[in-house]
PDB file of all heavy atoms in Angstrom:
ATOM      1  N   PRO A   1     -14.227   4.662  -2.039  1.00 91.00           N
ATOM      2  CA  PRO A   1     -12.767   4.510  -2.043  1.00 91.00           C
ATOM      3  C   PRO A   1     -12.356   3.040  -2.124  1.00 91.00           C
ATOM      4  O   PRO A   1     -12.835   2.209  -1.350  1.00 91.00           O
ATOM      5  CB  PRO A   1     -12.323   5.131  -0.724  1.00 91.00           C
ATOM      6  CG  PRO A   1     -13.544   5.464   0.041  1.00 91.00           C
ATOM      7  CD  PRO A   1     -14.732   5.258  -0.826  1.00 91.00           C
ATOM      8  N   ASP A   2     -11.480   2.727  -3.058  1.00 86.00           N
ATOM      9  CA  ASP A   2     -11.045   1.348  -3.282  1.00 86.00           C
ATOM     10  C   ASP A   2      -9.684   1.120  -2.634  1.00 86.00           C
ATOM     11  O   ASP A   2      -8.677   1.662  -3.095  1.00 86.00           O
ATOM     12  CB  ASP A   2     -10.968   1.080  -4.783  1.00 86.00           C
ATOM     13  CG  ASP A   2     -10.638  -0.357  -5.120  1.00 86.00           C
ATOM     14  OD1 ASP A   2     -10.290  -1.138  -4.196  1.00 86.00           O
ATOM     15  OD2 ASP A   2     -10.717  -0.706  -6.302  1.00 86.00           O
ATOM     16  N   PRO A   3      -9.643   0.315  -1.553  1.00 86.00           N
ATOM     17  CA  PRO A   3      -8.358   0.094  -0.883  1.00 86.00           C
ATOM     18  C   PRO A   3      -7.322  -0.585  -1.786  1.00 86.00           C
ATOM     19  O   PRO A   3      -6.125  -0.443  -1.556  1.00 86.00           O
ATOM     20  CB  PRO A   3      -8.695  -0.787   0.314  1.00 86.00           C
ATOM     21  CG  PRO A   3     -10.118  -1.154   0.203  1.00 86.00           C
ATOM     22  CD  PRO A   3     -10.736  -0.364  -0.902  1.00 86.00           C
ATOM     23  N   ALA A   4      -7.745  -1.281  -2.813  1.00 87.00           N
ATOM     24  CA  ALA A   4      -6.801  -1.914  -3.736  1.00 87.00           C
ATOM     25  C   ALA A   4      -6.020  -0.855  -4.519  1.00 87.00           C
ATOM     26  O   ALA A   4      -4.885  -1.084  -4.920  1.00 87.00           O
ATOM     27  CB  ALA A   4      -7.531  -2.844  -4.691  1.00 87.00           C
ATOM     28  N   ILE A   5      -6.616   0.309  -4.722  1.00 88.00           N
ATOM     29  CA  ILE A   5      -5.967   1.395  -5.455  1.00 88.00           C
ATOM     30  C   ILE A   5      -5.280   2.358  -4.490  1.00 88.00           C
ATOM     31  O   ILE A   5      -4.140   2.747  -4.682  1.00 88.00           O
ATOM     32  CB  ILE A   5      -6.997   2.152  -6.322  1.00 88.00           C
ATOM     33  CG1 ILE A   5      -7.539   1.224  -7.405  1.00 88.00           C
ATOM     34  CG2 ILE A   5      -6.384   3.405  -6.932  1.00 88.00           C
ATOM     35  CD1 ILE A   5      -8.722   1.777  -8.162  1.00 88.00           C
ATOM     36  N   ILE A   6      -5.986   2.729  -3.419  1.00 87.00           N
ATOM     37  CA  ILE A   6      -5.509   3.729  -2.473  1.00 87.00           C
ATOM     38  C   ILE A   6      -4.489   3.148  -1.501  1.00 87.00           C
ATOM     39  O   ILE A   6      -3.588   3.822  -1.053  1.00 87.00           O
ATOM     40  CB  ILE A   6      -6.703   4.335  -1.705  1.00 87.00           C
ATOM     41  CG1 ILE A   6      -7.625   5.054  -2.680  1.00 87.00           C
ATOM     42  CG2 ILE A   6      -6.240   5.286  -0.624  1.00 87.00           C
ATOM     43  CD1 ILE A   6      -8.939   5.463  -2.089  1.00 87.00           C
ATOM     44  N   GLY A   7      -4.644   1.895  -1.150  1.00 85.00           N
ATOM     45  CA  GLY A   7      -3.764   1.249  -0.184  1.00 85.00           C
ATOM     46  C   GLY A   7      -4.491   0.920   1.099  1.00 85.00           C
ATOM     47  O   GLY A   7      -4.312  -0.145   1.663  1.00 85.00           O
ATOM     48  N   TRP A   8      -5.315   1.854   1.591  1.00 89.00           N
ATOM     49  CA  TRP A   8      -6.125   1.595   2.790  1.00 89.00           C
ATOM     50  C   TRP A   8      -7.209   2.660   2.890  1.00 89.00           C
ATOM     51  O   TRP A   8      -7.091   3.745   2.324  1.00 89.00           O
ATOM     52  CB  TRP A   8      -5.281   1.578   4.064  1.00 89.00           C
ATOM     53  CG  TRP A   8      -4.595   2.880   4.373  1.00 89.00           C
ATOM     54  CD1 TRP A   8      -3.340   3.247   3.981  1.00 89.00           C
ATOM     55  CD2 TRP A   8      -5.126   3.988   5.104  1.00 89.00           C
ATOM     56  NE1 TRP A   8      -3.062   4.510   4.424  1.00 89.00           N
ATOM     57  CE2 TRP A   8      -4.135   4.993   5.123  1.00 89.00           C
ATOM     58  CE3 TRP A   8      -6.332   4.232   5.749  1.00 89.00           C
ATOM     59  CZ2 TRP A   8      -4.317   6.222   5.760  1.00 89.00           C
ATOM     60  CZ3 TRP A   8      -6.513   5.462   6.383  1.00 89.00           C
ATOM     61  CH2 TRP A   8      -5.516   6.429   6.388  1.00 89.00           C
ATOM     62  N   ILE A   9      -8.263   2.316   3.586  1.00 90.00           N
ATOM     63  CA  ILE A   9      -9.259   3.297   4.011  1.00 90.00           C
ATOM     64  C   ILE A   9      -9.573   2.992   5.466  1.00 90.00           C
ATOM     65  O   ILE A   9      -9.422   1.867   5.917  1.00 90.00           O
ATOM     66  CB  ILE A   9     -10.569   3.284   3.181  1.00 90.00           C
ATOM     67  CG1 ILE A   9     -11.312   1.961   3.342  1.00 90.00           C
ATOM     68  CG2 ILE A   9     -10.302   3.595   1.739  1.00 90.00           C
ATOM     69  CD1 ILE A   9     -12.714   1.984   2.747  1.00 90.00           C
ATOM     70  N   ARG A  10      -9.970   4.020   6.192  1.00 93.00           N
ATOM     71  CA  ARG A  10     -10.423   3.813   7.557  1.00 93.00           C
ATOM     72  C   ARG A  10     -11.923   4.074   7.546  1.00 93.00           C
ATOM     73  O   ARG A  10     -12.389   5.008   6.901  1.00 93.00           O
ATOM     74  CB  ARG A  10      -9.711   4.769   8.508  1.00 93.00           C
ATOM     75  CG  ARG A  10      -9.928   4.441   9.962  1.00 93.00           C
ATOM     76  CD  ARG A  10      -8.891   5.105  10.849  1.00 93.00           C
ATOM     77  NE  ARG A  10      -8.879   6.541  10.748  1.00 93.00           N
ATOM     78  CZ  ARG A  10      -9.566   7.360  11.549  1.00 93.00           C
ATOM     79  NH1 ARG A  10     -10.315   6.874  12.506  1.00 93.00           N
ATOM     80  NH2 ARG A  10      -9.481   8.658  11.389  1.00 93.00           N
ATOM     81  N   SER A  11     -12.671   3.222   8.233  1.00 93.00           N
ATOM     82  CA  SER A  11     -14.122   3.386   8.227  1.00 93.00           C
ATOM     83  C   SER A  11     -14.694   3.141   9.610  1.00 93.00           C
ATOM     84  O   SER A  11     -14.093   2.474  10.443  1.00 93.00           O
ATOM     85  CB  SER A  11     -14.773   2.448   7.210  1.00 93.00           C
ATOM     86  OG  SER A  11     -14.604   1.108   7.588  1.00 93.00           O
ATOM     87  N   GLU A  12     -15.871   3.702   9.817  1.00 94.00           N
ATOM     88  CA  GLU A  12     -16.641   3.480  11.037  1.00 94.00           C
ATOM     89  C   GLU A  12     -18.106   3.477  10.645  1.00 94.00           C
ATOM     90  O   GLU A  12     -18.553   4.334   9.882  1.00 94.00           O
ATOM     91  CB  GLU A  12     -16.368   4.579  12.063  1.00 94.00           C
ATOM     92  CG  GLU A  12     -17.144   4.398  13.347  1.00 94.00           C
ATOM     93  CD  GLU A  12     -16.797   5.441  14.392  1.00 94.00           C
ATOM     94  OE1 GLU A  12     -15.712   6.036  14.329  1.00 94.00           O
ATOM     95  OE2 GLU A  12     -17.643   5.661  15.271  1.00 94.00           O
ATOM     96  N   ASP A  13     -18.841   2.501  11.150  1.00 95.00           N
ATOM     97  CA  ASP A  13     -20.265   2.392  10.853  1.00 95.00           C
ATOM     98  C   ASP A  13     -21.065   2.997  11.997  1.00 95.00           C
ATOM     99  O   ASP A  13     -20.750   2.778  13.171  1.00 95.00           O
ATOM    100  CB  ASP A  13     -20.664   0.938  10.660  1.00 95.00           C
ATOM    101  CG  ASP A  13     -19.979   0.308   9.454  1.00 95.00           C
ATOM    102  OD1 ASP A  13     -19.359   1.016   8.661  1.00 95.00           O
ATOM    103  OD2 ASP A  13     -20.081  -0.916   9.326  1.00 95.00           O
ATOM    104  N   ILE A  14     -22.089   3.777  11.639  1.00 94.00           N
ATOM    105  CA  ILE A  14     -22.989   4.376  12.615  1.00 94.00           C
ATOM    106  C   ILE A  14     -24.415   4.219  12.119  1.00 94.00           C
ATOM    107  O   ILE A  14     -24.650   3.832  10.971  1.00 94.00           O
ATOM    108  CB  ILE A  14     -22.662   5.870  12.874  1.00 94.00           C
ATOM    109  CG1 ILE A  14     -22.839   6.706  11.598  1.00 94.00           C
ATOM    110  CG2 ILE A  14     -21.268   6.035  13.451  1.00 94.00           C
ATOM    111  CD1 ILE A  14     -22.680   8.200  11.808  1.00 94.00           C
ATOM    112  N   GLU A  15     -25.358   4.547  12.967  1.00 92.00           N
ATOM    113  CA  GLU A  15     -26.763   4.535  12.571  1.00 92.00           C
ATOM    114  C   GLU A  15     -27.382   5.850  12.998  1.00 92.00           C
ATOM    115  O   GLU A  15     -27.168   6.316  14.111  1.00 92.00           O
ATOM    116  CB  GLU A  15     -27.496   3.374  13.217  1.00 92.00           C
ATOM    117  CG  GLU A  15     -28.929   3.244  12.732  1.00 92.00           C
ATOM    118  CD  GLU A  15     -29.614   2.001  13.263  1.00 92.00           C
ATOM    119  OE1 GLU A  15     -28.930   0.998  13.514  1.00 92.00           O
ATOM    120  OE2 GLU A  15     -30.839   2.063  13.425  1.00 92.00           O
ATOM    121  N   ALA A  16     -28.138   6.462  12.088  1.00 89.00           N
ATOM    122  CA  ALA A  16     -28.845   7.708  12.378  1.00 89.00           C
ATOM    123  C   ALA A  16     -30.092   7.754  11.509  1.00 89.00           C
ATOM    124  O   ALA A  16     -30.057   7.356  10.347  1.00 89.00           O
ATOM    125  CB  ALA A  16     -27.953   8.911  12.088  1.00 89.00           C
ATOM    126  N   ALA A  17     -31.187   8.232  12.077  1.00 87.00           N
ATOM    127  CA  ALA A  17     -32.464   8.336  11.356  1.00 87.00           C
ATOM    128  C   ALA A  17     -32.846   7.006  10.716  1.00 87.00           C
ATOM    129  O   ALA A  17     -33.352   6.967   9.601  1.00 87.00           O
ATOM    130  CB  ALA A  17     -32.417   9.451  10.320  1.00 87.00           C
ATOM    131  N   ASP A  18     -32.582   5.916  11.424  1.00 89.00           N
ATOM    132  CA  ASP A  18     -32.884   4.558  10.941  1.00 89.00           C
ATOM    133  C   ASP A  18     -32.164   4.203   9.637  1.00 89.00           C
ATOM    134  O   ASP A  18     -32.624   3.361   8.876  1.00 89.00           O
ATOM    135  CB  ASP A  18     -34.391   4.350  10.774  1.00 89.00           C
ATOM    136  CG  ASP A  18     -35.117   4.414  12.110  1.00 89.00           C
ATOM    137  OD1 ASP A  18     -34.529   3.965  13.121  1.00 89.00           O
ATOM    138  OD2 ASP A  18     -36.253   4.908  12.135  1.00 89.00           O
ATOM    139  N   ILE A  19     -31.048   4.874   9.380  1.00 92.00           N
ATOM    140  CA  ILE A  19     -30.223   4.570   8.211  1.00 92.00           C
ATOM    141  C   ILE A  19     -28.860   4.107   8.726  1.00 92.00           C
ATOM    142  O   ILE A  19     -28.260   4.758   9.570  1.00 92.00           O
ATOM    143  CB  ILE A  19     -30.040   5.802   7.300  1.00 92.00           C
ATOM    144  CG1 ILE A  19     -31.395   6.280   6.771  1.00 92.00           C
ATOM    145  CG2 ILE A  19     -29.099   5.487   6.142  1.00 92.00           C
ATOM    146  CD1 ILE A  19     -31.323   7.564   5.973  1.00 92.00           C
ATOM    147  N   HIS A  20     -28.390   2.996   8.208  1.00 94.00           N
ATOM    148  CA  HIS A  20     -27.054   2.510   8.545  1.00 94.00           C
ATOM    149  C   HIS A  20     -26.062   3.230   7.649  1.00 94.00           C
ATOM    150  O   HIS A  20     -26.195   3.198   6.418  1.00 94.00           O
ATOM    151  CB  HIS A  20     -26.953   0.994   8.349  1.00 94.00           C
ATOM    152  CG  HIS A  20     -27.878   0.246   9.239  1.00 94.00           C
ATOM    153  ND1 HIS A  20     -27.651   0.078  10.584  1.00 94.00           N
ATOM    154  CD2 HIS A  20     -29.054  -0.350   8.982  1.00 94.00           C
ATOM    155  CE1 HIS A  20     -28.639  -0.605  11.114  1.00 94.00           C
ATOM    156  NE2 HIS A  20     -29.510  -0.878  10.160  1.00 94.00           N
ATOM    157  N   LEU A  21     -25.085   3.883   8.269  1.00 95.00           N
ATOM    158  CA  LEU A  21     -24.116   4.697   7.546  1.00 95.00           C
ATOM    159  C   LEU A  21     -22.703   4.187   7.774  1.00 95.00           C
ATOM    160  O   LEU A  21     -22.406   3.618   8.818  1.00 95.00           O
ATOM    161  CB  LEU A  21     -24.148   6.147   8.042  1.00 95.00           C
ATOM    162  CG  LEU A  21     -25.482   6.863   8.070  1.00 95.00           C
ATOM    163  CD1 LEU A  21     -25.328   8.191   8.772  1.00 95.00           C
ATOM    164  CD2 LEU A  21     -25.975   7.066   6.665  1.00 95.00           C
ATOM    165  N   ARG A  22     -21.850   4.430   6.805  1.00 96.00           N
ATOM    166  CA  ARG A  22     -20.415   4.196   6.971  1.00 96.00           C
ATOM    167  C   ARG A  22     -19.702   5.507   6.693  1.00 96.00           C
ATOM    168  O   ARG A  22     -19.935   6.137   5.670  1.00 96.00           O
ATOM    169  CB  ARG A  22     -19.916   3.115   6.030  1.00 96.00           C
ATOM    170  CG  ARG A  22     -18.391   2.937   6.106  1.00 96.00           C
ATOM    171  CD  ARG A  22     -17.914   1.685   5.442  1.00 96.00           C
ATOM    172  NE  ARG A  22     -18.405   0.540   6.218  1.00 96.00           N
ATOM    173  CZ  ARG A  22     -18.566  -0.678   5.702  1.00 96.00           C
ATOM    174  NH1 ARG A  22     -18.283  -0.909   4.449  1.00 96.00           N
ATOM    175  NH2 ARG A  22     -19.014  -1.662   6.460  1.00 96.00           N
ATOM    176  N   MET A  23     -18.836   5.884   7.626  1.00 96.00           N
ATOM    177  CA  MET A  23     -17.965   7.033   7.426  1.00 96.00           C
ATOM    178  C   MET A  23     -16.629   6.490   6.919  1.00 96.00           C
ATOM    179  O   MET A  23     -16.127   5.500   7.455  1.00 96.00           O
ATOM    180  CB  MET A  23     -17.741   7.780   8.742  1.00 96.00           C
ATOM    181  CG  MET A  23     -19.012   8.338   9.348  1.00 96.00           C
ATOM    182  SD  MET A  23     -18.736   9.310  10.856  1.00 96.00           S
ATOM    183  CE  MET A  23     -18.238   8.038  12.017  1.00 96.00           C
ATOM    184  N   THR A  24     -16.066   7.125   5.889  1.00 95.00           N
ATOM    185  CA  THR A  24     -14.766   6.689   5.369  1.00 95.00           C
ATOM    186  C   THR A  24     -13.804   7.863   5.269  1.00 95.00           C
ATOM    187  O   THR A  24     -14.217   9.002   5.033  1.00 95.00           O
ATOM    188  CB  THR A  24     -14.880   6.028   3.976  1.00 95.00           C
ATOM    189  OG1 THR A  24     -15.391   6.976   3.033  1.00 95.00           O
ATOM    190  CG2 THR A  24     -15.744   4.792   4.008  1.00 95.00           C
ATOM    191  N   ILE A  25     -12.531   7.531   5.469  1.00 93.00           N
ATOM    192  CA  ILE A  25     -11.433   8.474   5.291  1.00 93.00           C
ATOM    193  C   ILE A  25     -10.344   7.736   4.518  1.00 93.00           C
ATOM    194  O   ILE A  25     -10.064   6.574   4.791  1.00 93.00           O
ATOM    195  CB  ILE A  25     -10.830   8.920   6.636  1.00 93.00           C
ATOM    196  CG1 ILE A  25     -11.876   9.593   7.508  1.00 93.00           C
ATOM    197  CG2 ILE A  25      -9.650   9.861   6.420  1.00 93.00           C
ATOM    198  CD1 ILE A  25     -11.377   9.869   8.907  1.00 93.00           C
TER     199      ILE A  25
END
């Protein structure tokens, strides 16, 4: 998701199974 097009995104970073993840809405 591109905030320049959408206006904003909300994100949270987590880690699971030794993988760094970002959740976006």
Side-chain angles (χ1 to χ4, degrees):
D2 185 351
I5 295 170
I6 297 169
W8 62 268
I9 64 170
R10 191 162 59 93
S11 66
E12 180 176 338
D13 296 350
I14 63 174
E15 185 174 331
D18 295 325
I19 299 175
H20 298 285
L21 307 172
R22 175 167 293 156
M23 299 183 291
T24 62
I25 300 172

